[in-house]
Each structure stands twice: as C-alpha cells, then as structure tokens.
Amino acid sequence: LERQGAIYMNRGLFPASIGTFKVSVIGVAGSVLRENLTFKSNEDALNQGQVYILDSLYTLTGTADIIEIRSTGAGVEFNLNIGDNLTITEPVIGINQTVTVTEVLDQPKAGETVELYRQAILNAIQLEPGGGSKSDYRQWSTDAQGVRLVYPYVQDVNTGNISLFVEATIVDST
C-alpha cells in the first residue's frame, strides 16, 4: 500500500501531529519560567490531564505575558480550546500556577487511517488530470492533512474563480 501511495501520490500516510498554543501567564515582572517547564490541562479543559511543555526560557515583563507551549503527544486528544486552563506542574516563585489558552497556533491532528489512505490512492488512480479540472482539485487536496475530500464548483457570476467545499476527516472534525 505504501509503495502504491509513493507511486501515485508521492507520499506516505500522514502521521498524527502535535499542537502549539499561546497561553497567558500572570506573575511578577522578572519572574522566570524555565525551559522544559511542564503544564497539565485542568479538569474543565477540552482534554483533561494532558501534558504540555515550554520549549524556551521566558522572563515575565509583568504586563500581558504570552508564552508558546506545545503538546507532548500527537493527535486530537491533545487539542485545547481558547479559554481552557492549565496548571504548572511545579511551584514557580512569583507566578500564578494557572495559565489560560489565548490562541491555538497549530491544532493537533489525528494520523491518517489506512482506509482513508487507500481511498486517496484509488482516487489518484481513477481521477484523470485535466489542467485545473475538478479532478485536479480533488487530487491536490490529498496533500493537506485532515482533509478527506473537496468538492470544487464554479459560480456563474464569478468567472475564473473556483469555490471549494472542504470535507474534513471524521477524527479531525470538531
């Protein structure tokens, strides 16, 4: 199956991906968050009990401190919503132990299933390329993780413009 995928689509199965998030931190100016500091999602979070990590040292300014953390694992079970709270897993002097997600930079995605991969290979074999035809858009969409299929259509009033309806994979749907 992987050989057929390499031949017809020039790729293998999409692996699960990690997520990155921005969180707000409240604390005293000059307080330091060390590199590799870990955070655990609270019970009210979308996925409770998951662990996240800070990749670089950060010194608080005291006003509007935002840091970037990443999930320690891959897949949708590490997703967070804006407003979810996490707790620092060790005491840090001068810092409130609870942080809040303010932005989702990269949403973690589930790995591609064998069934979806097989269907994408079959579509690549069966759909004829045509210089921007509907089948081309369907084939090009297989390069995007989390996209199951696209439905391209042209509106009469927008000549030369293509609109796409994108169908997500079941595991990456929210």
Side-chain angles (χ1 to χ4, degrees):
L1 188 64
E2 289 179 7
R3 185 168 51 153
Q4 297 298 319
I7 291 169
Y8 291 104
M9 298 190 323
N10 200 29
R11 70 170 179 87
L13 279 157
F14 285 126
S17 65
I18 64 168
T20 54
F21 309 89
K22 285 192 176 183
V23 295
S24 65
V25 181
I26 298 172
V28 178
S31 298
V32 176
L33 295 171
R34 69 171 179 80
E35 183 178 357
N36 297 325
L37 184 65
T38 56
F39 302 80
K40 189 173 185 179
S41 55
N42 293 352
E43 290 182 8
D44 62 342
L46 176 63
N47 290 300
Q48 62 188 17
Q50 300 294 358
V51 179
Y52 303 83
I53 193 165
L54 176 66
D55 285 326
S56 58
L57 181 101
Y58 183 82
T59 304
L60 269 64
T61 61
T63 56
D65 288 299
I66 305 288
I67 60 171
E68 186 176 313
I69 60 173
R70 67 172 169 83
S71 60
T72 56
V76 293
E77 57 273 5
F78 285 90
N79 198 10
L80 293 171
N81 287 330
I82 293 174
D84 283 349
N85 292 316
L86 295 92
T87 303
I88 301 173
T89 59
E90 63 188 60
V92 180
I93 297 173
I95 296 183
N96 185 341
Q97 292 298 107
T98 303
V99 299
T100 304
V101 176
T102 59
E103 185 179 349
V104 178
L105 297 175
D106 293 313
Q107 184 175 3
K109 294 180 184 67
E112 186 174 30
T113 64
V114 172
E115 294 79 23
L116 289 174
Y117 187 58
R118 183 178 289 117
Q119 186 60 51
I121 293 170
L122 289 173
N123 287 344
I125 294 169
Q126 294 170 351
L127 297 175
E128 244 181 80
S133 67
K134 289 182 179 184
S135 61
D136 286 340
Y137 285 93
R138 288 186 175 171
Q139 185 58 36
W140 296 332
S141 71
T142 63
D143 290 339
Q145 184 175 0
V147 174
R148 182 177 175 275
L149 196 57
V150 298
Y151 302 94
Y153 60 95
V154 178
Q155 296 175 342
D156 293 333
V157 294
N158 294 328
T159 307
N161 292 331
I162 302 292
S163 296
L164 296 175
F165 174 77
V166 179
E167 182 181 345
T169 57
I170 297 290
V171 292
D172 285 323
S173 298
T174 53

